Amino acid sequence: MVHSEHPELILVTGATGYIGGRLVSRLVAEGRRVRVVVRNPDKLRDVPWADEVEVLEGDLQDASAMEKACRGVTTLYYLVHSMGSGRGFEKREARIAAIVADAAAAAGVRRIVYLGGLHPQGVKLSTHMRSRVAVGEALLASGVPTVAFQAGVVIGSGSASFEMIRHLSEVLPVMPAPKWVLNRIEPIAVRDVLHYLLGALDLPEGLNRTFDIGSGDVLTYADMMKRYAAAAGLPGRTVLALPVLTPRLAGHWVNLVTPIPRAMAMPLIESLQHDAITAENDISGYLPEPVGGLTGYSRAVELALNKMSNGEVETSWAGASQLDTVADPLPSDPQWSGHTVYKDERRYRSSAPPAAVWSVIEGIGGENGWYSWPVAWAARGWLDKLAGGVGLRRGRRHSSELMAGEALDFWRVEELVRGEKLRLRAEMKLPGRAWLELSVVPDGGASEYRQRAVFFPRGLAGRLYWLAVLPFHGVIFASMARNITRAAERAAQPA
């Protein structure tokens, strides 16, 4: 860890998430001492600030792990909240908040900073929003002074809310929509959220309250889509508010039209059932506005689009891996004797140097494609969407660089040994578990490309699935290996 100019120790939970990852990088840039607690430290191995923070392995549901994490901490950022709404969700979230709050109190933490959601008073909230409110209330009642910011729709490159607006606006010139598109919403730019989170470190000690934060722009969701279209240079969009689309139907619709899977779309949509605007602006009496003032909605959209076009998406909603698709890491080969396992292995010798082959491997997916039968890959993505999965449209965070733990279309980067090996874990809906491993090894002055697909079937359905796709694998995986090596050879040729 690098030397810090600030003696106070800051603990960040949710460092692998959209807001948490960005906050940590800014804390480090300010010279703060930062500790993060994560279940899987490997997910932080490739982030730029990995060597500049203290990384503890631990689960927020483990009281002893949280007691250890809170030792010596002055400020704790609570930035963890699952995008769920199923049975037991609220109790689990409340239990986690209680464990963290108790550990913070026992360790003498001086402040907790929480990011919740804007919500009206006196109405029946969705399960997800009700849980976020309850977590904030639990932290405020913990005995540890707590600053609970309440924000609406967060606009920034890679945010789930922005991706939903972007794809709905780009795909549908005329959009039939639920009546909640006429509800009033006060969005906020991610840069302004981070401004307030960082500013919390300078608030008076002992402060224990909520603060509403927003941009000052109050719009309907329909207005937000229309303004997005204008900022993106699209023709005008028409939004038709219909009273017949329930949140569940709208969730299915968003799942099909956008990269946001149904499991995440539902809580996002449910949180839009009521107006979400600031009821007070008391924070202005404690913290100055960002330099240049708060970011208006249209400007926030422009900034997000610029970041995306330049391949500078710092963090993404897809990187949090909060979907119900988490699988165990690929067991090592000697352990396969206890499993039914199907494999497809390919090797191709390439005249290109290993570096050229690796460049193609690390750049795979997203706009760069999968080097074989694009229609077949797109069809598989749509089938997954129809089944409620993540689909193929999550794309890439960066056009040429990957990090362990991040999403890549309907895969997740499980292992990355830069220059040597990339292992992807499938997150599409499957009757089993699947991995795709791409690697390159030196071969004299050239290289050998190695490709391996591994599938652990679940029951009879898994076995039948493999048999059904086997003929397609024979074509798709063979052409994929061949085209990757050819692309590397073309790239390695002198200009």
Side-chain angles (χ1 to χ4, degrees):
M1 187 188 304
V2 298
H3 175 73
S4 172
E5 59 194 66
H6 294 274
E8 299 85 2
L9 178 60
I10 298 168
L11 174 64
V12 179
T13 65
T16 60
Y18 178 72
I19 296 292
R22 298 188 181 209
L23 176 65
V24 171
S25 69
R26 284 153 181 79
L27 289 169
V28 168
E30 289 187 357
R32 306 281 184 176
R33 291 178 60 214
V34 179
R35 174 186 292 164
V36 300
V37 56
V38 291
R39 284 180 296 180
N40 182 5
D42 286 343
K43 290 189 67 175
L44 297 178
R45 187 184 61 198
D46 299 316
V47 298
W49 41 263
D51 294 332
E52 300 181 72
V53 303
E54 179 187 355
V55 180
L56 291 185
E57 182 176 358
D59 192 321
L60 269 63
Q61 301 182 74
D62 183 341
S64 61
M66 288 312 302
E67 289 170 5
K68 177 181 178 182
C70 288
R71 289 173 193 158
V73 168
T74 53
T75 300
L76 186 156
Y77 283 94
Y78 193 98
L79 301 176
V80 176
H81 208 79
S82 301
M83 294 298 289
S85 58
R87 180 179 299 177
F89 168 75
E90 289 182 90
K91 290 183 178 179
R92 183 178 69 251
E93 295 297 303
R95 183 174 66 252
I96 294 172
I99 290 171
V100 174
D102 289 346
V109 173
R110 296 205 295 265
R111 172 177 289 137
I112 295 174
V113 182
Y114 173 61
L115 181 62
L118 278 178
H119 60 281
Q121 300 295 326
V123 300
K124 183 179 180 181
L125 300 175
S126 68
T127 302
H128 175 73
M129 184 57 69
R130 190 168 62 240
S131 175
R132 296 190 72 179
V133 172
V135 167
E137 291 174 344
L139 297 176
L140 287 162
S142 67
V144 179
T146 296
V147 173
F149 292 115
Q150 299 181 148
V153 173
V154 176
I155 302 299
S157 60
S159 80
S161 297
F162 176 72
E163 287 299 294
M164 197 164 92
I165 293 168
R166 180 168 78 93
H167 283 84
L168 288 173
S169 304
E170 291 183 351
V171 173
L172 303 169
V174 178
M175 178 184 171
K179 60 183 179 181
W180 50 254
V181 297
L182 301 181
N183 289 342
R184 296 186 303 160
I185 298 171
E186 186 173 348
I188 184 169
V190 65
R191 55 167 49 191
D192 293 344
V193 173
L194 293 166
H195 167 79
Y196 288 122
L197 289 174
L198 288 167
L201 296 171
D202 300 320
L203 290 172
E205 287 194 18
L207 198 61
N208 191 69
R209 58 162 295 179
T210 63
F211 287 103
D212 290 356
I213 56 174
S215 62
D217 276 353
V218 177
L219 309 165
T220 66
Y221 202 83
D223 290 336
M224 291 169 67
M225 289 190 286
K226 292 175 182 178
R227 288 202 188 183
Y228 172 87
L234 300 172
R237 266 31 186 170
T238 301
V239 181
L240 305 175
L242 304 176
V244 294
L245 289 179
T246 66
R248 182 170 294 277
L249 287 174
H252 287 295
W253 180 242
V254 169
N255 170 65
L256 290 175
V257 176
T258 79
I260 310 300
R262 189 168 58 212
M264 183 176 282
M266 286 301 298
L268 285 175
I269 289 170
E270 288 173 348
S271 68
L272 298 171
Q273 300 303 303
H274 306 287
D275 290 348
I277 57 178
T278 56
E280 46 83 8
N281 186 36
D282 294 353
I283 191 62
S284 62
Y286 292 88
L287 293 176
E289 290 186 351
V291 176
L294 292 167
T295 309
Y297 173 73
S298 295
R299 177 57 179 159
V301 169
E302 292 172 0
L303 291 169
L305 290 173
N306 287 338
K307 289 287 186 180
M308 293 173 60
S309 64
N310 294 330
E312 299 174 356
V313 180
E314 188 177 349
T315 59
S316 167
W317 65 269
S321 189
Q322 292 179 325
L323 310 175
D324 296 330
T325 53
V326 178
D328 294 329
L330 176 62
S332 59
D333 292 19
Q335 295 176 316
W336 286 1
S337 58
H339 295 269
T340 297
V341 58
Y342 298 118
K343 294 183 292 181
D344 182 286
E345 296 185 278
R346 311 278 170 173
R347 294 191 180 195
Y348 267 80
R349 191 179 187 280
S350 173
S351 60
V357 177
W358 176 255
S359 179
V360 178
I361 291 174
E362 191 172 2
I364 202 164
E367 295 296 325
N368 300 325
W370 292 88
Y371 294 90
S372 68
W373 289 60
V375 173
W377 284 90
R380 185 64 184 87
W382 275 109
L383 287 173
D384 191 54
K385 274 290 185 182
L386 290 171
V390 296
L392 198 65
R393 298 175 64 190
R394 292 190 298 184
R396 298 175 54 100
R397 177 193 57 84
H398 191 279
S399 60
S400 59
E401 295 179 1
L402 292 174
M403 295 192 305
E406 71 173 328
L408 175 60
D409 289 332
F410 48 43
W411 306 92
R412 187 165 298 276
V413 180
E414 187 171 84
E415 182 178 4
L416 177 68
V417 181
R418 188 157 277 112
E420 298 179 17
K421 180 172 68 175
L422 169 65
R423 187 168 73 221
L424 307 173
R425 185 185 72 235
E427 289 194 331
M428 72 282 280
K429 297 285 187 179
L430 286 171
R433 297 182 291 158
W435 293 263
L436 179 62
E437 191 173 85
L438 316 177
S439 60
V440 61
V441 295
D443 184 4
S447 59
E448 182 181 73
Y449 169 76
R450 298 176 181 178
Q451 176 180 296
R452 180 172 68 165
V454 179
F455 182 64
F456 285 14
R458 184 173 60 247
L460 178 60
R463 289 159 174 79
L464 293 176
Y465 169 82
W466 181 263
L467 292 175
V469 299
L470 191 59
F472 300 99
H473 283 177
V475 176
I476 292 172
F477 285 144
S479 61
M480 180 179 175
R482 183 172 58 251
N483 291 336
I484 284 175
T485 53
R486 288 176 178 175
E489 290 166 357
R490 288 194 299 270
Q493 290 177 354

